[in-house]
Amino acid sequence: MTVMHTPAATARPTPTRTGTCAPEPPRHPRPDGQDHYTISEVVAFTGLSAHTLRWYERIGLMSHIDRSHTGQRRYRNRDLDWLDFVGKLRLTGMPVADMVRYAELVRAGDETRAARRALLESTRGDVLTRIAELQDALAVLDVKIGLYAEGTES
Amino acid sequence: MTVMHTPAATARPTPTRTGTCAPEPPRHPRPDGQDHYTISEVVAFTGLSAHTLRWYERIGLMSHIDRSHTGQRRYRNRDLDWLDFVGKLRLTGMPVADMVRYAELVRAGDETRAARRALLESTRGDVLTRIAELQDALAVLDVKIGLYAEGTES
DNA sequence: GGCTTGCCTGGAGCGCACTCCAAGGTCTTA
DNA sequence: TAAGACCTTGGAGTGCGCTCCAGGCAAGCC
């Protein structure tokens, strides 16, 4: 289901271990009583880069964003809600291509509800598997750390 | 600590959702009473490709493997043990560069025990964080799936 | 001897998810 | 009117973890 199932499987787990010393983008809370935001505001809310936001739109992960009279993007609250959800999907490790597929299904309307649900259920299964793997690896790590602690290792 | 901490953070979660239809390499159990194996035997034991095994050696993730008189690799049980451990580290999502660093510390001998332990502890923290993220995402997924189930979504 | 199988090497290529660049338009403030 | 901030685009580049390729050697079998 994941890492190393096929010798060719592309495993790409998460970390980017930062531990301490993370620059941490501001991640402002979204203000309310407003319904359009510039791209840089969305950057501040989501922590995504402007490049990434434009790229998401280009690949169809977001529906077309409204534009100002000069052609600048004006994100609306529903766009930010969608980005929040996409962020969760991203955390699950779902490939972007699958997220795009989900987005297309949403745009396609009501008949795709079953397919969308199936996609989420499958992702749910992946997440459970991944959690189990992590817990397994954690146990090994704990044993090893224990050996170092008592001075038995190496 | 992970995904999206800096806008530039490279997040690369795991899945490769396969669910059904996974080709699954054989993954034979390691026979005992023997202490050298050809690369193709190791492929069978570990599920890694021969390319990947050679690459691991090249980048220093494995110490030099013994050779037969004709220059072919002959893996020993300690190499397989190491590969098992590396597989666990891989499951944690630790970047290969860090595994290489750990391997170098091991080769460097006893004075590096504290550093090695610290590396594992830090990885342990990453794993816990990642599990928490996955559980958070899982909760969102469950809510969404619930909405689809009761016909409220979209 | 010829064929097959299995292994060797260095180096190029790939898929993913961004990330950055160059060249240019528009808006605001001084 | 000029500077500076902020936005636009298409397309090229990056880093990671493999993955594959070409060309070649050695052993076993008919």
Side-chain angles (χ1 to χ4, degrees), chain B residues 13-138:
Chain B
T14 275
T16 312
R17 123 252 35 158
T18 324
T20 44
C21 64
E24 276 285 333
R27 191 73 65 79
H28 298 296
R30 189 199 308 185
D32 42 24
Q34 199 187 333
D35 199 25
H36 64 277
Y37 310 91
T38 65
I39 199 166
S40 59
E41 286 171 316
V42 178
V43 165
F45 302 154
T46 63
L48 296 168
S49 75
H51 291 302
T52 300
L53 288 168
R54 288 190 276 253
W55 179 65
Y56 277 4
E57 193 180 342
R58 208 152 65 193
I59 64 176
L61 182 48
M62 304 208 59
S63 52
H64 219 72
I65 301 299
D66 296 345
R67 301 301 177 111
S68 73
H69 68 109
T70 56
Q72 299 190 186
R73 268 165 268 250
R74 291 295 175 257
Y75 289 80
R76 315 196 54 182
N77 281 309
R78 62 173 172 73
D79 299 320
L80 296 187
D81 293 341
W82 174 253
L83 280 172
D84 281 348
F85 182 58
V86 163
K88 296 299 178 187
L89 291 184
R90 211 162 69 114
L91 283 181
T92 67
M94 189 190 241
V96 169
D98 287 8
M99 297 184 211
V100 171
R101 168 128 189 76
Y102 184 83
E104 283 165 350
L105 290 173
V106 170
R107 286 195 290 274
D110 239 35
E111 311 90 87
T112 65
R113 293 181 63 263
R116 279 182 264 156
R117 180 178 171 185
L119 228 171
L120 295 189
E121 301 255 23
S122 148
T123 300
R124 180 175 192 278
D126 291 343
V127 172
L128 291 176
T129 304
R130 181 73 183 125
I131 289 175
E133 284 175 352
L134 284 172
Q135 274 161 350
D136 173 44
L138 188 63

Side-chain angles (χ1 to χ4, degrees), chain A residues 1-7 10 12-19 23-25 27 46-47 85 88-93 95 98 102 110 113 116-117 120-124 126-128 130-131 133-138 140-142 144-145 148-149 151 153-154, chain B residues 1-7 10 12-19 23-25 27 47 85 88-93 95 98 102 110 113 116-117 120-124 126-128 130-131 133-138 140-142 144-145 148-149 151-154:
Chain A
M1 211 127 299
T2 138
V3 168
M4 54 166 62
H5 258 195
T6 118
T10 343
R12 78 197 33 182
T14 276
T16 313
R17 125 255 31 161
T18 325
E24 276 284 335
R27 192 73 65 80
T46 63
F85 182 58
K88 296 299 178 186
L89 292 185
R90 211 162 71 114
L91 284 181
T92 67
D98 288 6
Y102 184 83
D110 239 35
R113 293 180 64 262
R116 279 181 264 158
R117 180 179 171 184
L120 295 189
E121 302 256 24
S122 148
T123 300
R124 181 176 191 278
D126 291 342
V127 171
L128 291 176
R130 182 71 183 126
I131 288 174
E133 285 175 353
L134 284 172
Q135 274 162 351
D136 173 44
L138 188 63
V140 172
L141 230 39
D142 282 341
K144 204 76 164 175
I145 289 171
Y148 277 120
E153 180 67 9
S154 225
Chain B
M1 205 128 305
T2 140
V3 168
M4 52 163 67
H5 258 196
T6 117
T10 343
R12 75 198 37 183
T14 275
T16 312
R17 123 252 35 158
T18 324
E24 276 285 333
R27 191 73 65 79
F85 182 58
K88 296 299 178 187
L89 291 184
R90 211 162 69 114
L91 283 181
T92 67
D98 287 8
Y102 184 83
D110 239 35
R113 293 181 63 263
R116 279 182 264 156
R117 180 178 171 185
L120 295 189
E121 301 255 23
S122 148
T123 300
R124 180 175 192 278
D126 291 343
V127 172
L128 291 176
R130 181 73 183 125
I131 289 175
E133 284 175 352
L134 284 172
Q135 274 161 350
D136 173 44
L138 188 63
V140 172
L141 231 38
D142 282 341
K144 203 77 161 173
I145 288 171
Y148 277 118
T152 325
E153 179 67 10
S154 224

